[in-house]
Amino acid sequence: MGKDLAHAIVPPEDRIRFRYKVRRCLDVLGELLDAEVFDTGTGMTGLEIEINLVDAEAGPVMRNAELLADLADPRFQAELGRFNIELNVPPRPIAAEGFGAFEKDILDALRTAEERAGKADGRLALIGMLPTLTPEHLILANLSENERFRALNDEIVAARGEQFPLDIRGVERLRSASGTIVPESACTSAQFHLQVPSDDFARYWNASQAMAAAQVALGANSTFLHGRRLWAETRIALFEQATDTRPDELKAQGVRPRVWFGERWITSVFDLYEENVRFFPPLLPFLGEEDPAQVRLAGGIPRLAELCMHNGTVYRWNRPVYDIMDGKPHLRVENRVLPSGPTVVDLMANAAFYFGVVRRLAEAERPVWSRFDFGTAEANFRAGARDGLDATVYWPGLGEVEVVDLVLNTLLPMAYDGLDRFGVHPAERDRLLGIIEGRCLTRRNGASWQTSAVRAAERGGLSRKDALRAMTRRYLDLQHSNEPVHTWPSDD
């Protein structure tokens, strides 16, 4: 979510100055793109993994500040809820055995954090949505002690002007409401970053959007919320609704949501930043001292702090990232589609599938996005999130197709080819993509395993509440095996 901010009431004149500064940054970004000063490397990747803190009974533990203070590890940061933390894994190339190195780094970091959490009888849970959460957990008192989160809550609540209604219709239905954005903290994700050349950014972003449905269907791991079985990946619907700044009148006027799939294929990264500036009012209008135009005039590379801050409050499922490393600017696609968990090796398999397919699609002579409209891609995405491995989607040349068949017959071969282009070692490629194949053949991912385990517990006589608690405890035990979820035992 970004760095802490000094708490302040922003006067109206600073909001005007911020808006002006953002537009100035946008102009400078255009100049940088024209000057072709961006790093042209590709294959450098990064990961962010959001984690829940739970007690021995698998309920949330509101102690992230204490755990982070004990860890004193800059890779771990607070997330929105006091039961959330985030692990930022240092970037590296995925060539050769990069995935294996990522996996080792993550396992080592989680092992240390788990040991520290265990001092207070706590555990770590990598899961898209903690099934034991109740509305009583998602209250303002459980917002993390971080001024950015407080400012963000205050701004979004003020922009909405009324409560945030939740109405999620899945296998069952959930209707609720909140006066804060804290329900968003139920959503814990895994985010993949891929550095790409500026000239190729649009192709990689379009490819990411096109494959998002298959990604979310394969990786779904968020099926229960407040005791209800909803979507396979309920996190998508909850995130959209829990932070929607638009009352019904603004929706009717066509105002865009801040959690956004988008509305068109793009031709440049500039399109996305320009849309952010044109469609979305600032939420965190904090001004820096840098004058980006003056920095550029002097031959330097500006940080574009205000533009980046604003970009961080528009929650695209695939988001552009501008950054500077060793004095040279670069661009990344931040892929935000997937939930956390179930295991680290499952996360690595998800990453291998994404990086492989997206490269193959981006480098195709005839782009797939030129053969179907953007609205169909969004409809696919929602079908994948709602139905998981049972989803049916549209794919050019195939028409309506079951997502598991699309993956097995079309996208997995692309993933193998794409990872070869990145220079991934064949043994690593085969190990991780074999997990994706296994999920399709067994039709089991995190969401379907959770559903089966709860159904079996209920048939054994447990109430839904007790079944969810029992399932979550078992999930945590199996998670520590680091065996892929499609191999987990099921009683259903």
Side-chain angles (χ1 to χ4, degrees), residues 34-203:
D34 290 341
E36 299 182 346
V37 298
F38 284 86
D39 192 329
T40 58
T42 190
M44 182 65 73
T45 64
L47 303 174
E48 301 172 46
I49 304 169
E50 295 171 355
I51 305 161
N52 292 287
L53 310 180
V54 299
D55 59 22
E57 295 301 312
V61 172
M62 307 298 172
R63 296 179 185 164
N64 64 355
E66 293 93 325
L67 175 59
L68 292 171
D70 190 24
L71 279 170
D73 184 338
R75 294 176 299 174
F76 288 96
Q77 297 178 358
E79 259 297 333
L80 187 65
R82 292 178 60 212
F83 59 97
N84 306 140
I85 59 173
E86 180 178 85
L87 170 61
N88 293 282
V89 188
R92 61 161 43 88
I94 57 172
E97 298 178 349
F99 283 113
F102 265 131
E103 187 174 353
K104 182 180 184 303
D105 283 354
I106 295 167
L107 288 170
D108 288 346
L110 293 178
R111 190 175 299 112
T112 299
E114 183 92 39
E115 290 171 357
R116 301 294 175 86
K119 293 179 181 178
D121 298 321
R123 303 182 74 180
L124 306 185
L126 278 65
I127 193 166
M129 194 168 287
L130 188 62
T132 54
L133 285 172
T134 68
E136 289 71 30
H137 294 131
L138 303 178
I139 59 175
L140 189 59
N142 289 331
L143 188 73
S144 283
E145 298 173 5
N146 178 304
E147 294 298 344
R148 177 190 171 104
F149 299 140
R150 175 68 67 170
L152 191 64
N153 177 77
D154 292 349
E155 289 288 325
I156 292 178
V157 168
R160 175 82 191 193
E162 58 189 54
Q163 284 200 317
F164 300 87
L166 300 178
D167 188 357
I168 303 174
R169 305 182 191 201
V171 176
E172 299 167 359
R173 185 176 182 181
L174 174 67
R175 284 185 285 188
S176 182
S178 174
T180 74
I181 66 168
V182 180
E184 181 202 329
S185 65
C187 305
T188 42
S189 65
Q191 298 156 24
F192 305 148
H193 289 247
L194 178 62
Q195 181 179 329
V196 298
S198 58
D199 288 347
D200 294 337
F201 183 92
R203 298 179 69 87

Side-chain angles (χ1 to χ4, degrees), residues 442-454:
T442 60
R443 288 182 178 260
R444 181 180 296 170
N445 57 13
S448 58
W449 185 89
Q450 290 182 50
T451 299
S452 295
V454 168

Side-chain angles (χ1 to χ4, degrees), residues 32 37-40 195 301-302 322-331:
L32 291 170
V37 298
F38 284 86
D39 192 329
T40 58
Q195 181 179 329
I301 301 296
Y322 167 93
D323 206 350
I324 300 172
M325 182 66 66
D326 299 326
K328 196 170 186 66
H330 69 262
L331 294 171

